[in-house]
Amino acid sequence: MELESRVEWKEPQPAYIASPGSILHVDREFYSAILNAPRNLKSEVIIPPRSAKAFNVPATHIVRFSTPSGPQVGDLNIWNAQNPRERFWASRTRQLQASHVTIYDRLWSCLPYLRPMVTIIGDSLSDFGVSRWGGRCHDLLGTRCDPYVNKLLTGDDYDFHCHSNLVRSVIPFGLLESDIHDVLNIFQVTGLNGQGKYFMEASPAKPGDFIEFFAEQDLLMALSTCPGGDLSRWGWGEGSAEGGEGGKSMLDCCREIKVEIFEIDERARDILKDWKEAKRPEYTGMHGMKVPEGETIA
Ligand SMILES: [Zn+2]
């Protein structure tokens, strides 16, 4: 496989390139060994339509999200389990990886941590490619739906947007509304149109489609099953009362998402012998500040 840095670009070169030896250059052999290693199911969570759940994923475990009944988009938040100030940073991830993520991409944490939280090791939709409108799958362009923008745009109140679902899910873990952050929209196809406007297309997920992450640190994750369901009938507000075309309402487009957490089987633990949790960058400056400890006494 040709390294990105040796590619002759026929378009503007990416701003961030995974040069050999860089932390951006993923060891594909290692992650494909993780993917293929025997594993044991440790826990399983079903997230019903229009709700959210939070759950811990220990470092080196694998978390698998799947759509057992068909298309449904999910809004994902991630924190370090011990330190929720370290959380997923969607916009830097978009720059370091891409606007839409797939196998071997990583999700990065915010400053001053800036280290991988997870690496994607499996994606049954990795060959989705680009839709006729330029849409791609597993979206980092957008964010979660929320009741404030809903009120702003429609004047309506609705309490089960992804933002609200995520808020309720993390309260038992001691987190607050202010801990909810920009998401990765799994199973969601989006893009920018010719005018640079954000658009969404119906989710292509079929029963059994999945995406899998390797946990690079001890994590708390929360996932909301979007009230827009598979986004085939997306509109603002509740949208479930009146039947649309063919009597189908937005609620009919809503399904569960299954979460499974696996541990690599003991027989294959050797794979992990050289794995280490990434350290944060060793910047020790103070942003140019010199802060005195106290009074200078001559
Ligand atoms: Zn949503």
Side-chain angles (χ1 to χ4, degrees):
M1 178 109 204
E2 187 144 37
L3 298 178
E4 276 190 5
S5 55
R6 291 189 202 143
V7 170
E8 259 194 49
W9 299 96
K10 294 192 177 67
E11 47 194 13
Q13 177 179 300
Y16 299 86
I17 291 182
S19 50
S22 129
I23 192 172
L24 297 180
H25 191 69
V26 169
D27 179 351
R28 295 180 174 210
E29 217 172 293
F30 169 74
Y31 290 104
S32 96
I34 296 277
L35 177 68
N36 294 312
R39 53 170 85 167
N40 303 314
L41 182 65
K42 302 299 282 185
S43 57
E44 185 179 304
V45 179
I46 299 285
I47 306 177
R50 298 189 161 184
S51 67
K53 284 187 182 172
F55 42 88
N56 282 105
V57 184
T60 75
H61 283 45
I62 295 162
V63 58
R64 175 188 177 99
F65 299 101
S66 59
T67 52
S69 312
Q72 169 66 43
V73 305
D75 289 49
L76 181 68
N77 265 195
I78 312 175
W79 300 263
N80 178 284
Q82 286 84 37
N83 171 22
R85 282 192 177 177
E86 180 173 12
R87 61 194 203 181
F88 169 50
W89 189 8
S91 58
R92 180 64 84 205
T93 300
R94 198 186 309 137
Q95 290 178 309
L96 294 177
Q97 311 291 171
S99 61
H100 299 77
V101 288
T102 186
I103 191 161
Y104 302 130
D105 284 324
R106 287 169 152 173
L107 305 184
W108 294 79
S109 62
C110 63
L111 300 181
Y113 310 101
L114 197 60
R115 55 187 187 142
M117 303 195 89
V118 299
T119 301
I120 303 175
I121 59 168
D123 175 10
S124 64
L125 293 167
S126 62
D127 58 1
F128 176 81
V130 188
S131 77
R132 62 182 290 224
W133 303 112
R136 297 167 199 265
C137 197
H138 306 310
D139 163 59
L140 280 178
L141 292 172
T143 189
R144 61 215 181 273
C145 54
D146 74 73
Y148 307 98
V149 74
N150 185 53
K151 185 78 177 182
L152 182 79
L153 296 179
T154 70
D156 295 336
D157 288 311
Y158 178 63
D159 297 327
F160 301 97
H161 282 294
C162 290
H163 178 82
S164 303
N165 294 343
L166 291 168
V167 170
R168 293 192 313 279
S169 75
V170 297
I171 283 175
F173 290 83
L175 303 194
L176 301 169
E177 179 170 3
S178 53
D179 290 303
I180 304 305
H181 50 276
D182 280 345
V183 300
L184 168 65
N185 287 305
I186 57 173
F187 306 121
Q188 182 166 329
V189 172
T190 69
L192 301 176
N193 72 10
Q195 285 75 51
K197 295 277 194 185
Y198 178 72
F199 67 83
M200 307 191 291
E201 295 181 59
S203 171
K206 295 176 294 300
D209 270 322
F210 65 87
I211 184 166
E212 288 191 341
F213 303 82
F214 174 78
E216 301 281 358
Q217 37 180 292
D218 286 338
L219 301 172
L220 174 68
M221 288 186 166
L223 186 84
S224 166
T225 44
C226 184
D230 61 19
L231 300 184
S232 62
R233 302 200 61 81
W234 171 258
W236 288 104
E238 203 166 352
S240 56
E242 66 290 348
E245 229 172 281
K248 204 179 169 199
S249 75
M250 202 154 65
L251 189 55
D252 296 325
C253 309
C254 291
R255 299 172 184 89
E256 78 281 16
I257 288 182
K258 182 155 113 177
V259 184
E260 292 160 289
I261 297 162
F262 298 93
E263 185 176 36
I264 308 277
D265 188 85
E266 249 172 274
R267 288 169 293 156
R269 292 281 164 78
D270 235 28
I271 302 173
L272 295 169
K273 68 180 188 312
D274 295 325
W275 175 87
K276 282 196 197 71
E277 185 168 321
K279 289 201 167 63
R280 62 195 242 189
E282 288 177 352
Y283 170 67
T284 53
M286 284 279 288
H287 310 291
M289 292 188 293
K290 302 266 188 293
V291 182
E293 281 179 357
E295 185 182 345
T296 305
I297 300 171

